Structures are given as structure tokens and as C-alpha cells.
Amino acid sequence: MARRVSKSTLKRALMLSAALMAPIGAHAATAPGLLFQLTGDKGLVADIAGGEAQPNFADKVKIKSDPVHGAYIDASGEEVLSWKAPGNIYAQRGTLSFYWRARDPVGPTPFPLFRVGYADHTSWDMAWLRIDWNGKGFDAFVTDNNLARVRVSTVAAAPKPDQWILVTFTWDETTGIALYIDGKPVATKAQAAVLDAGLDQFGPHSRTISPHQVQSAYQFIRGGDVDDIRIYDHALASASIAGLAAGTAPTETAPERGLAAAPWRDEWRTRLGWDRAGDPPTYLADPATVIRKVEFTDAYDLKQRMSGGSDGIPETTWPGVYNRSRLPGRHDYFELPDWNTYVDGGKAVTFTLPDETWNHLEFQGAAYGDLIYVAADGKQTLLAKRPKGEERTYNQFSALKGGKLRFDNVAQETPIQELAAYNIAAGAEPDEQTLAYTVRASADPSGYPSLDALTGFVRGRYLPDERTVVAALPAGAPTQARAAAAGPALPLVHILSP
């Protein structure tokens, strides 16, 4: 059984370890990389929060006291409890750690211990991360951007009803995942995956923690005691996790990313489509270029209208989720029907284009196969073969007019995250009234209150080295100089216009 030093002693160590951590949200983190911590000393309000500290849902839970752990959360089987994810947890990498006590006997019936939900997704339960008792041991996964799950399972003795255990789970899209019980590794998987995604809420137990509902019902009615929930901004090393179980606050900081190092360079290039030698994204060589997005008027898979692969949201996909599919980690012991997908769906999708010119396609997702143009007279032309193992690709070709675009998928369940058509050609802006904005890197975006919601979104959605924000301003707009950059940054810039 894991035991720890008093909570007050550990908190003092945390306070002393890193007071220089820059605030992200209303409550600044006070230890290296610690985004979120809830001990119960403030009830259900987080002691430390990079985002919102107050719970978003809280029902059928109460704070009790334990002689060893002090304040903790007592959750009933029908609990509804979650906190907002932005600023408190990030999908690219991190560590989730919490103490858990069964309180009731644990048997062969699976139940979730913790969930993190997507902000939007194709799947019904929107589970991005889940840690379970699987009936025989512990199970944990994160879901990659192409619906597969990086998953580990282990066989273990059932925890006793009065036994506190420390559950710790780490993930990193460049290295993989690891599950620890009481500070000791019990399962690992070394697997790079694209995990970058928008997250919505997190919390213990529950059948669903998602934007559309947080609830417990059916066979998911199972509570327990929870204490000292911690979320870090990087995957803690094994030594730090062992120290955490022994009551020692981790002092390691998140790795500094840069494109000079292969792991970060490969991560960056894969996500943005720069990973193919000799096939970079389309170069705009003309002095002035007109870019028009040619919106699909509809998309069909057999007789089912599909919008997930072209709605501007990468987390929603074509096809829908096959819960019993061949995608790694997808077939679950919590059986859900494939309610939004035909049994023969996912083999081909046809997009209809308006009667205008287009010459460029941008494709995001792991689906691979043939992109075929179907003209109004029915003639078919192979535009491109999308290769296996890619995340983003770009195709430029001679101008086409209207018609349909069909994608024939080689692996039925493998999805398109986003497919878009454009017309890209040399040309200037129309000869009429125009608005001109200049990107001013020296201007402080915080000087424009109308940008507060957008800058808050960037802070909650992106890791610190991907948060560079600049303002695009008209001539004569008032400006104030921005402070020097706080640290290293990757070449991603968010351009905001007040």
C-alpha cells in the first residue's frame, strides 16, 4: 500500500521548489510543470490551476477527511464531477497522477477511474484519455488524431476496499505512454503518435465526460475516493514518479523543444506535412496570389451524408468511429454500437464541388488511397495517390471545374480528419474598396481587449512554445510595445486582428 508524507509538508516543498513559474490562468502554478493540483483542502476548487480552478460540474460528491491523506473527495456511484481542460492539461504530452481508494470491493466488472474528454470529436463518448480497472488489472490509453488508441493493459491483484493506491499515467507524442501504480511502472508502450487535439473536461469515474454531457449511468455506476489530482505539462521521468509516491515533489522541468533536435523536428514536420523530402507544401512563387477556398456542397458515403471530414474541425472525421474496428486499441470491453457508420462505410466518400475552378487539395489524416476527379459527364481522372503513413499532404494540379471528388480508402476505418479544395492562382485583390492590415510583431496584443478571448484560447489550447501571438493592425492604429519573449518558441505564430 502506498503511503506518503503529510499533505502540508508536500505542499510546502512544492511552494519552495519553483516560485518563478509564469502564470497561465487565474491561479499560477507553483512547481515546475505543475498545471493543476487538487488536494481537497479548498473543497472542490483546485489548489493550483493553469486554467479554471472551479469544477464545471459537481454533484453527488463531498469532501471527507482521512487520517493519512487529510481531505479527499468521496464520490458516489452516480457522481457528476469534472473540471475544464484548457490550461489545465494538454494533449501533446503530460502526466496525470491521483490517489484512489475503491471503498467497495473490486471484482471482474470493468469501470473507469478517470477520463479526459475531447472538445469535439467523432466518437460518442469523446474519450481522449481513460484509465480503467479492466476487470483483471489496470488499463490506460490516449487516442491519437486518427482514432486509434495508444493503449497499455496489465494484470494485477484487485485493490482492497480500504487501500489507497497512487495511479500515474504519462504520455508524449514523440515517445509513447507509461502507467505506474504506487510509483512503479507496470506497463509502457514506446510509440510515436499525433496527439495534438482540443480537450474539454476531465474528472474521475463517469460514463461520459464530454462537451454535451457529464454523467454516470448503467454499468458505469461506480464511485470511489480520490485525492491529490495532479497534472503536469510533460511526461515525468520514472525517478520523479517514484519520488512522488514517496512524498517528494518533482523538480524536473518540461523539455525545451527546438527544431535542431530530431524528436521535436520530426514531431513538427509530421504534424504540418514537411516530413517528405522533395515534396514540401505548395510554394507561392508569384508576387501576388489569390487563394479561394472552394467549399464542398455535400459529401456522401453510400447514402449517408458526411460532414466530419470537411467541416474545419480536425477532431471530427470521416468515417465515424468503428468501436469494434481493426484500428489499434479501439475494440473495447465497454461495448458501444457503431451507431453512426454503415457496416460498409469508410470505403469511399464523394465530395461535390460548386461550379467553379479549383486546383489544389489539402489532406489531413491517416487515410490512404486514391483521389479521383469525376467530371460532370462521368469521366474519371486519377488526381493523386495518397501514401500510407502521412498526416498532412498537399496536391497541386491543372485547373478543374466543379464536378465531384471521390476518395477510395484502402483501410476502411482509417479516417480523413480534414480535406479541403482551393483555387490558387496569380492575381491581385479586386479593384474595389479594401481593408489593409499589417502584422506588427512589436505591438502588444494584450492592449486590445477585443482579443482577450482569442489570446485566452491560445493559452488554454497550446503549450508555451506554441503561443506566439501577434496583432494585424490597420494603419494608424494605436500600439504599445510588447515585452520581450519569455522563452524559446517554435515557428508557429497566431495572427489576431482586433
Side-chain angles (χ1 to χ4, degrees):
M1 184 175 87
R3 300 186 70 86
R4 59 177 180 168
V5 297
S6 72
K7 199 178 296 182
S8 60
T9 301
L10 189 53
K11 275 196 248 182
R12 284 196 294 272
L14 286 168
M15 295 292 289
L16 292 171
S17 63
L20 297 179
M21 182 71 176
I24 301 172
H27 298 257
T30 56
L34 184 59
L35 297 171
F36 182 91
Q37 183 184 21
L38 187 136
T39 64
D41 290 351
K42 295 183 178 180
L44 297 175
V45 178
D47 306 71
I48 293 170
E52 292 186 22
Q54 294 276 355
N56 195 45
F57 289 94
D59 187 32
K60 296 183 175 62
V61 293
K62 60 185 72 173
I63 298 295
K64 291 187 176 180
S65 184
D66 179 272
V68 175
H69 279 241
Y72 68 90
I73 299 170
D74 175 297
S76 74
E78 295 178 307
E79 72 184 84
V80 177
L81 179 62
S82 68
W83 292 266
K84 283 289 189 179
N88 290 326
I89 185 171
Y90 294 94
Q92 293 176 18
R93 54 191 46 83
T95 299
L96 166 64
S97 182
F98 58 95
Y99 280 88
W100 184 80
R101 182 168 62 183
R103 199 172 65 229
D104 297 316
V106 174
T109 301
F111 58 88
L113 273 65
F114 209 95
R115 286 180 183 264
V116 181
Y118 280 100
D120 204 346
H121 201 245
T122 296
S123 58
W124 177 88
D125 62 359
M126 295 200 177
W128 175 77
L129 176 152
R130 207 179 71 215
I131 302 173
D132 307 328
W133 171 257
N134 63 19
K136 299 177 180 178
F138 295 98
D139 191 281
F141 66 75
V142 288
T143 310
D144 72 19
N145 290 20
N146 293 297
L147 306 182
R149 285 171 169 166
V150 187
R151 190 168 200 154
V152 292
S153 297
T154 182
V155 176
K160 298 176 181 178
D162 62 348
Q163 177 186 4
W164 282 106
I165 62 171
L166 178 64
V167 181
T168 307
F169 183 55
T170 69
W171 64 95
D172 189 306
E173 65 178 3
T174 66
T175 57
I177 63 174
L179 178 65
Y180 300 76
I181 301 296
D182 292 336
K184 299 176 182 178
V186 295
T188 61
K189 177 171 283 189
Q191 178 181 324
V194 180
L195 302 178
D196 176 47
L199 305 179
D200 183 66
Q201 298 178 70
F202 59 85
H205 309 117
S206 297
R207 179 184 183 228
T208 301
I209 293 182
S210 70
H212 56 268
Q213 60 179 323
V214 175
Q215 55 107 322
S216 295
Y218 310 114
Q219 75 271 34
F220 294 86
I221 296 179
R222 169 75 201 217
D225 299 329
V226 181
D227 190 29
D228 201 13
I229 302 171
R230 295 164 177 259
I231 301 173
Y232 290 83
D233 67 358
H234 63 288
L236 290 174
S238 294
S240 293
I241 294 171
L244 192 62
T248 303
T251 58
E252 66 174 270
T253 57
E256 184 176 303
R257 295 193 294 171
L259 299 190
W264 313 126
R265 182 173 63 247
D266 293 346
E267 173 189 29
W268 190 253
R269 288 178 175 176
T270 297
R271 195 194 309 170
L272 299 180
W274 290 85
D275 55 334
R276 298 174 303 281
D279 183 25
T282 303
Y283 177 61
L284 304 180
D286 296 300
T289 303
V290 174
I291 302 175
R292 174 173 171 78
K293 186 177 183 183
V294 182
E295 295 283 3
F296 301 126
T297 58
D298 60 44
Y300 278 89
D301 180 350
L302 300 176
K303 294 184 178 181
Q304 184 178 18
R305 188 163 186 167
M306 305 294 292
S307 61
S310 58
D311 61 359
I313 306 170
E315 288 85 357
T316 60
T317 63
W318 167 87
V321 173
Y322 290 74
N323 289 293
R324 293 176 291 278
S325 80
R326 293 162 290 187
L327 293 175
R330 194 80 233 181
H331 192 173
D332 209 355
Y333 35 79
F334 296 133
E335 291 286 5
L336 292 173
D338 297 327
W339 63 276
N340 64 344
T341 307
Y342 290 137
V343 67
D344 282 329
K347 295 180 179 179
V349 59
T350 301
F351 301 88
T352 303
L353 291 113
D355 188 26
E356 58 178 281
T357 302
W358 56 284
N359 63 1
H360 181 84
L361 291 174
E362 299 203 355
F363 194 126
Q364 182 174 347
Y368 59 100
D370 295 341
L371 287 160
I372 298 167
Y373 173 59
V374 182
D377 61 3
K379 181 180 178 182
Q380 300 186 17
T381 303
L382 177 65
L383 295 178
K385 285 185 170 290
R386 193 169 198 261
K388 185 178 181 180
E390 295 295 338
E391 175 66 11
R392 296 194 71 160
T393 54
Y394 308 84
N395 296 103
Q396 186 83 7
F397 35 81
S398 299
L400 301 169
K401 187 75 176 293
K404 295 184 178 183
L405 173 68
R406 190 180 78 241
F407 176 71
D408 292 340
N409 201 10
V410 173
Q412 183 181 3
E413 297 92 347
T414 309
I416 297 173
Q417 297 170 34
E418 197 66 23
L419 179 62
Y422 297 84
N423 190 47
I424 301 177
E429 71 272 14
D431 185 17
E432 55 190 54
Q433 183 177 1
T434 60
L435 297 173
Y437 290 80
T438 301
V439 175
R440 303 188 186 182
S442 61
D444 184 1
S446 66
Y448 307 97
S450 62
L451 297 181
D452 289 350
L454 289 175
T455 54
F457 169 80
V458 171
R459 287 195 302 271
R461 171 66 175 77
Y462 295 92
L463 290 164
D465 53 11
E466 296 181 4
R467 290 186 197 150
T468 300
V469 175
V470 298
L473 304 169
T479 63
Q480 61 186 48
R482 71 189 305 158
L490 292 171
L492 172 66
V493 178
H494 306 273
I495 301 174
L496 310 181
S497 181

